[in-house]
Amino acid sequence: MSEIDLSPTDKAILEMLREGRCTPAYIAAEKDYTRAHVRNRLQRLTELGYVTRLHQGLYELNRDPQE
């Protein structure tokens, strides 16, 4: 997945995860998205190996696709 394939939501999520671990609820509140939308994008980013789900509802950046 190259940078051009990232949705605006993906980019916002990755931006927040660069700063540290986050929950979908926190990302949704900070970026004005629905929690369901953020969870769906996090699931996709996790499947691609960019994000790791540490615990139920807690995610961190595994590797940055924009680097």
Side-chain angles (χ1 to χ4, degrees), residues 38-66:
V38 171
R39 279 193 308 267
N40 289 339
R41 298 315 303 164
L42 279 166
Q43 181 179 358
R44 176 81 172 127
L45 292 169
T46 300
E47 289 169 358
L48 293 169
Y50 299 126
V51 173
T52 301
R53 183 177 175 197
L54 298 173
H55 192 271
Q56 187 171 355
L58 184 62
Y59 294 83
E60 76 176 357
L61 188 63
N62 186 34
R63 63 185 172 95
D64 195 336
Q66 295 181 319

Side-chain angles (χ1 to χ4, degrees), residues 9-25:
T9 305
D10 296 337
K11 291 177 183 180
I13 290 169
L14 292 168
E15 177 185 320
M16 292 197 68
L17 290 174
R18 282 185 202 103
E19 297 176 19
R21 296 173 177 167
C22 295
T23 64

